[in-house]
Amino acid sequence: MKNLLKFKSSNIMLVAVLALIILVSGCAAGGEKDKQNVSGEESYKIGAVIDISGNSSSLGVPERDTLQMLVENLNAGGGINGHPVELTILDNKSDETEAVLAAKTLIEQDVLAVLGCASSGPSMAMINTLQKEKVPMISMAAASSIVEPVEERHWVFKTAQSDIVTVSNIISYLKENGLTKVAFLYMNNAYGDGGKKAFLTAARENNVEVVVEEKFEASDKDMTAQLTRVKSSPAQATVVWAIPPSASILTKNYRDLGIAALLIHSHGVGNQKFIDLAQGAADGVILPIGKLTVVEQIPDDDPQKKVLQSYIDDYTKKYNMLPDSFGGYAWDAFHLVVKAIEKAGPDRGAIRDELENTREFVGVSGVFNMSPRDHNGLDKESMVMVRIENGKWKLLD
Amino acid sequence: MWGKNKKYFWLAAALGFLAIPLIVKSNYIISTLIVIGLYAILVQGLGILMGYAGQVSFGHAAFFGLGAYAVAILTTHYSWPTIPALGAAVLLPGMVAAVIGRPTLKLQELYLALATLGFGILVHIAFTEGGEMTGGPSGLSGIPYLSVGGLVFDSDVKFFYLVWILLFLLLAGMNNLVRSRVGRALRAISESEYAAENAGIDTVGLKLQSFVFSALLAGLAGGLYAFYITFISPSPFSFHASVQFVLMAVVGGLGTLTGPLLGAALVVALGEVLRWAVPLVIPGAGGEYQIIFFGLILVILMVLQPGGLGALGKLLGTPAKRLPGKGADTRLLESQGG
C-alpha cells in the first residue's frame, strides 16, 4: 500500500512538473504575441545573444550591463524617433548550439537586428541562421573570420578590433624600436589562434623573425617550460597572446626567470584583473589597447575623448565601477544599430545598408568607417600603445 | 486487446508528431525540436550501451564530434557530395569504436568509464590541435546544406522531417532489437556478466557490437548536426557534452526505449524554458542562476522518479521494458538456451 501511494504521488508530481513546463512555454509564446499586438507599431525590437554564463562570462557580463544601461537611457530620452526600444537579451551559456537557438528565438520576435555574441565561436555559429533570415548582426568578438570573407558576410558586422589592427600596432612598435627577433607565445584557443595567424603573417611581411613559437592551455598554472626556451633564444622581445589568468601567470613566471627581453602582450590583458593577478610582475609590460583605459592621458582634441568620458561617467554612476573594453564593444554595437534604425526605419534590409554606410562614427573602440569591403571599420588609430607602470596604464608617445 | 492496438497507437502518435510543423509556424520551436531529435538519436545508442549492455561511456561526445568533423572536413576541404560525407560520418566513429572497443571493453564498470573519458579528452585535443585540417580552436565554417538529389535541406521544417523520420525508424528498429534474442542477451549481460557468460552468451562480442552501434548513431547525429549548424568548433564536443549525454540517458530512464528520447527532450526543453523563465523570477539574473535551477529540478526529478522518465510509460499502460528482478533473470537466461 505504501509503495503504491509512493508510486502514485511521484508520478503525479512528475506529470505536474511536465504540465508546468508545457504551460510555461505556452505562456511564453502567448505573452510575446500579446506584446506584439499591443505595442507592435510603437516599439522597435532589438535582440542580443550574449555569453552571460559559461567560459566567456567575464566578457559577456559587462556587455549585458552596458546594453541594459543604454536602452534605459535611450527610452528615458524618448527612444528612436519617438518609438521606444524593446531590447531582449538572451544567454548563450558560451555555447554554439545555444547561440543558434537563441538567434532563432529573436528572429521569431521580429527583432530588427541581433547584437552578439561576446566570443568568436558562438558568433560564428549564428552567422548562417541570421544571414538566411536576412537579419543584420553585429558581433562583439575578436576573430577576423566573423566578418571575412566579406562577400560571404553580407549581413554581419563587428565592433571589436580585429586581430590585424592589434598586430599592426605591435609590429609598428617593434620596427620603431629596432626589434627584429621575437618570441611568440599564445593561448591555445580561438583567441590565441586568431592572434597567432595574424601575427605570423604580419611578421613575415615586415621582416620580423619569430625565433621561438610556443603555446599553452588557458587552464595552465605554470609556463616556465615554454619560457625557458625563450630565455635561451636570441629573442629581443616576447609577444604574448592571452587573457588572464594565464596571461598573469605567464608574466609572473617571466619575471621569476629574469628574462631580459621586452614583454609585449595583446589587448586581451586590457583590464585591471590582469594587473591584480600578476601582483607587480605586470610592471614594464607593453601592449596595444583601446583608448578607454587611458582616457585621462589622451589629448583633449582626440575625437573619441568626449564619448569615452561620457561612457565612463554613465557606467560608473549606474554600476559604481569602471567599464572595460568589452562593455565598450557593446556600447558601439548598440549605438551603431540605433543610428541605423534612426535613418532607415524598421526595415532589416535598409538597416543593413545603413550599417555598411557608417562613416566617421565616433565610438568607444575607435572611429568606425564601414564599407562594402570592411565590416569592422576600425583602423590602427583605434588603439594606442601603453606601458604598465606601478600598476597603472601609461600612454606611450 | 491493448497489445494489438499498441502498434497503431505509437504509429498514430508518430504521425501526429510529424504534423507539428503544419500547425506550429515558429522556427524557434521547430529548431528546438531538431536539436532534441539530434541528441535523441545519439542517446538512443547510448541507451542501448548503458541500459541494455550495462556499460557506461563518458566518451560519446567524441564520436559525436568525429561524425561532425568528418562531414565538415570532407565537404569543405575535399568538396565531397553531402551524402557520401554523411556516410563517412556514420562509418568513421563506428570503425574507431571497433578498434578501441576490444581492449576497452575488457575493463569493467568504473574502469571502462575512465577509459572512455580519456578517449573523449584525446579526441577533443585532436580537434583543437588539428591545424588547417580541423580549423584548430577557431573551427570550420562554410559547411554546405545536406542535399539528396534535388532536395536541399535548407529550412528548419525540412530538417525537422529528416531528423524525426530517421529517429522514428530507429525507434521501430530498436523495438525489434531489444525483443530479439540479442536484446535479451544484452539485458542478461547488464544484470550479471558472469551469469550471462555461463549461459553461453558471447559477452565480449555483444558488448563490442553495442559499443560500435552506439558510436555509429553518435556519428550520424554528429554529421547531421554539422549539416544543420553549418559551422563547427571543438567546444560542443568536450567532456562536458559527454556528461550531458549520460545525464539525458539516466534522466530519461535506463533500459527503456522511450527513455532516451524523453531524457533528451527534458534536458533541452528545461534549458530553454529556464533561459526564459529565470529572468522573470529574478530580474537581471545571469545564466548562473539557470544552472542552479536546472540542477535543482533534475535532483528533485531523480528523487521522485529514480527510474527516469521512461517509467512514465506505465501511465500509458505500456510497462517499461525493465527487468522485474532476479527471478526473471534466470528465466531469461534459460530462454537463451544456455
Side-chain angles (χ1 to χ4, degrees), chain A residues 6-7 9-15 17-18 21 24-25 27-29 32 52-54 61 64 68 90-102 104-105 107-108 120-122 124-125 128-129 132-133 145 152-153 188-191 193-194 197 215 217, chain B residues 25-29 31-32 35 39 128-129 132 135-138 141-143 145 154-156 225 228-236 244 266 268-273 275-277 284-288 290-291 297 300-301 304-305 308-309 311-312 314-315:
Chain A
K6 202 175 163 196
F7 168 71
S9 64
S10 68
N11 270 310
I12 289 165
M13 271 305 289
L14 194 63
V15 172
V17 168
L18 283 176
I21 290 170
V24 161
S25 35
C27 287
E32 277 147 23
I52 299 170
S53 58
V61 170
R64 175 196 63 187
Q68 278 169 348
L90 297 180
D91 179 17
N92 63 27
K93 304 177 194 158
S94 308
D95 178 282
E96 284 149 19
T97 317
E98 299 270 355
V100 173
L101 289 177
K104 299 222 177 188
T105 316
I107 295 170
E108 298 283 295
S120 302
M124 290 292 296
N128 245 329
T129 305
K132 203 163 68 183
E133 299 288 332
S145 53
E152 289 170 23
R153 302 282 191 268
N188 193 19
N189 65 9
Y191 179 69
D193 195 47
K197 283 177 192 153
K215 65 185 163 194
E217 297 302 318
Chain B
K25 292 296 170 203
S26 156
N27 269 335
Y28 163 66
I29 291 180
S31 61
T32 307
V35 171
Y39 287 156
T128 318
E129 301 293 319
E132 289 291 303
S138 311
S141 58
I143 302 165
Y145 290 118
D154 57 356
S155 75
D156 284 349
Y225 174 87
Y228 181 56
I229 306 274
T230 66
F231 162 80
I232 58 164
S233 80
S235 68
Q244 205 179 18
L266 182 83
V268 174
L270 200 56
E272 291 299 307
V273 168
R275 171 152 70 193
W276 168 82
E288 58 276 18
Q290 293 172 21
I291 294 167
I297 291 175
I300 293 170
L301 188 71
L304 292 177
Q305 190 75 16
L309 287 179
L312 257 184
K314 282 174 195 156
L315 288 181

Side-chain angles (χ1 to χ4, degrees), chain B:
Chain B
M1 194 52 187
W2 167 246
K4 278 200 169 171
N5 290 331
K6 208 165 66 178
K7 209 190 285 173
Y8 298 106
F9 169 78
W10 287 117
L11 192 65
L15 287 177
F17 189 87
L18 290 178
I20 285 180
L22 302 177
I23 306 149
V24 178
K25 292 296 170 203
S26 156
N27 269 335
Y28 163 66
I29 291 180
I30 301 293
S31 61
T32 307
L33 290 173
I34 292 173
V35 171
I36 290 172
L38 287 175
Y39 287 156
I41 290 176
L42 184 146
V43 182
Q44 287 295 345
L46 198 57
I48 285 277
L49 186 69
M50 287 172 64
Y52 290 90
Q55 310 298 313
V56 181
S57 164
F58 279 109
H60 263 56
F63 295 123
F64 184 53
L66 282 174
Y69 270 93
V71 160
I73 290 171
L74 292 174
T75 54
T76 58
H77 292 328
Y78 300 102
S79 310
W80 276 37
T82 54
I83 286 294
L86 187 61
V90 178
L91 289 178
L92 175 74
M95 275 157 28
V96 173
V99 172
I100 66 160
R102 269 281 160 203
T104 329
L105 290 168
K106 289 206 176 108
L107 304 169
Q108 284 183 345
E109 298 178 355
L110 274 179
Y111 298 99
L112 176 77
L114 284 176
T116 51
L117 190 156
F119 165 72
I121 292 171
L122 272 178
V123 172
H124 188 249
I125 291 175
F127 292 152
T128 318
E129 301 293 319
E132 289 291 303
M133 190 51 83
T134 63
S138 311
L140 278 174
S141 58
I143 302 165
Y145 290 118
L146 181 68
S147 59
V148 186
L151 181 60
V152 182
F153 290 90
D154 57 356
S155 75
D156 284 349
V157 173
K158 287 180 196 167
F159 217 88
F160 169 87
Y161 281 114
L162 174 74
V163 169
W164 280 87
I165 289 174
L166 278 175
L167 183 59
F168 285 138
L169 291 176
L170 177 70
L171 274 170
M174 283 177 58
N175 187 36
N176 286 333
L177 178 80
V178 296
R179 283 151 195 273
S180 70
R181 277 177 60 99
V182 176
R184 291 198 300 271
L186 280 172
R187 271 178 285 170
I189 294 174
S190 77
E191 292 296 322
S192 162
E193 274 193 60
Y194 298 114
E197 211 156 302
N198 280 332
I201 296 171
D202 172 16
T203 54
V204 176
L206 269 180
K207 270 163 41 183
L208 184 65
Q209 282 170 29
S210 46
F211 189 55
V212 171
F213 176 71
S214 70
L216 291 170
L217 286 186
L220 175 65
L224 291 171
Y225 174 87
F227 279 126
Y228 181 56
I229 306 274
T230 66
F231 162 80
I232 58 164
S233 80
S235 68
F237 313 113
S238 63
F239 169 64
H240 175 80
S242 287
V243 175
Q244 205 179 18
F245 295 144
V246 172
L247 177 77
M248 288 174 183
V250 174
V251 169
L254 291 175
T256 66
L257 267 187
T258 45
L261 175 54
L262 292 173
L266 182 83
V267 171
V268 174
L270 200 56
E272 291 299 307
V273 168
L274 286 177
R275 171 152 70 193
W276 168 82
V278 170
L280 289 189
V281 185
I282 313 170
E288 58 276 18
Y289 286 89
Q290 293 172 21
I291 294 167
I292 295 172
F293 277 97
F294 188 77
L296 261 176
I297 291 175
L298 289 184
V299 168
I300 293 170
L301 188 71
M302 290 316 285
V303 168
L304 292 177
Q305 190 75 16
L309 287 179
L312 257 184
K314 282 174 195 156
L315 288 181
L316 296 171
T318 39
K321 287 158 204 80
R322 198 157 235 286
L323 279 184
K326 285 289 167 195
D329 254 359
T330 30
R331 283 203 304 279
L332 255 173
L333 293 178
E334 278 158 11
S335 73
Q336 275 294 314

Side-chain angles (χ1 to χ4, degrees), chain A residues 44-363:
Chain A
Y44 287 159
K45 294 193 170 106
I46 301 176
V49 182
I50 299 185
D51 317 39
I52 299 170
S53 58
N55 290 331
S56 314
S57 62
S58 65
L59 284 62
V61 170
E63 293 182 359
R64 175 196 63 187
D65 293 348
T66 299
L67 289 177
Q68 278 169 348
M69 174 186 89
L70 291 176
V71 76
E72 270 172 38
N73 293 352
L74 181 74
N75 285 335
I80 304 175
N81 301 333
H83 298 267
V85 168
E86 209 180 302
L87 177 73
T88 310
I89 303 176
L90 297 180
D91 179 17
N92 63 27
K93 304 177 194 158
S94 308
D95 178 282
E96 284 149 19
T97 317
E98 299 270 355
V100 173
L101 289 177
K104 299 222 177 188
T105 316
L106 293 174
I107 295 170
E108 298 283 295
Q109 296 180 5
D110 283 325
V111 295
L112 295 171
V114 172
L115 314 180
C117 306
S119 58
S120 302
S123 295
M124 290 292 296
M126 296 199 315
I127 287 177
N128 245 329
T129 305
L130 292 173
Q131 293 221 122
K132 203 163 68 183
E133 299 288 332
K134 299 192 170 26
V135 181
M137 158 177 167
I138 308 181
S139 166
M140 302 171 259
S144 333
S145 53
I146 294 167
V147 288
E148 277 162 23
V150 73
E151 50 277 11
E152 289 170 23
R153 302 282 191 268
H154 193 65
W155 294 85
V156 188
F157 301 85
K158 84 182 191 90
T159 53
Q161 295 97 343
S162 283
D163 311 315
I164 296 160
V165 172
T166 320
V167 162
S168 64
N169 273 290
I170 294 179
I171 293 281
S172 307
Y173 181 84
L174 292 173
K175 289 179 88 171
E176 279 161 26
N177 291 279
L179 305 166
T180 53
K181 287 181 167 42
V182 298
F184 187 78
L185 280 78
Y186 63 101
M187 202 171 161
N188 193 19
N189 65 9
Y191 179 69
D193 195 47
K196 179 190 82 168
K197 283 177 192 153
F199 186 82
L200 294 186
T201 313
R204 246 195 326 274
E205 286 164 3
N206 289 282
N207 299 320
V208 172
E209 192 190 345
V210 178
V211 290
V212 178
E213 188 193 318
E214 288 281 342
K215 65 185 163 194
F216 49 87
E217 297 302 318
S219 54
D220 281 358
K221 300 280 176 282
D222 186 274
M223 289 87 182
T224 312
Q226 289 92 333
L227 289 172
T228 314
R229 279 199 59 199
V230 174
K231 192 176 184 183
S232 59
S233 77
Q236 298 159 309
T238 305
V239 178
V240 183
W241 224 268
I243 64 168
S246 62
S248 306
I249 298 169
L250 183 138
T251 305
K252 269 202 280 185
N253 293 162
Y254 201 82
R255 302 298 182 219
D256 289 345
L257 285 172
I259 301 172
L262 197 64
L263 183 56
I264 302 175
H265 271 280
S266 69
H267 56 323
V269 302
N271 55 19
Q272 192 59 35
K273 200 174 156 199
F274 166 70
I275 298 178
D276 294 346
L277 289 175
Q279 299 164 337
D283 282 351
V285 165
I286 288 174
L287 65 139
I289 198 171
K291 291 172 190 166
L292 183 68
T293 324
V294 284
V295 63
E296 66 282 2
Q297 295 171 51
I298 60 171
D300 286 338
D301 60 356
D302 190 290
Q304 284 179 261
K305 183 116 181 174
K306 237 173 69 190
V307 168
L308 294 171
Q309 201 57 59
S310 82
Y311 175 43
I312 293 174
D313 292 346
D314 290 350
Y315 196 92
T316 336
K317 209 168 82 193
K318 185 159 169 67
Y319 297 111
N320 214 3
M321 58 194 269
L322 282 171
D324 62 18
S325 44
F326 301 111
Y329 302 146
W331 193 98
D332 294 337
F334 186 79
H335 281 93
L336 280 171
V337 81
V338 165
K339 212 170 65 72
I341 297 174
E342 220 167 62
K343 283 196 188 157
D347 178 291
R348 287 170 177 170
I351 291 168
R352 190 216 77 90
D353 295 343
E354 276 304 325
L355 284 170
E356 195 166 75
N357 283 319
T358 301
R359 298 276 183 280
E360 298 293 326
F361 170 75
V362 183

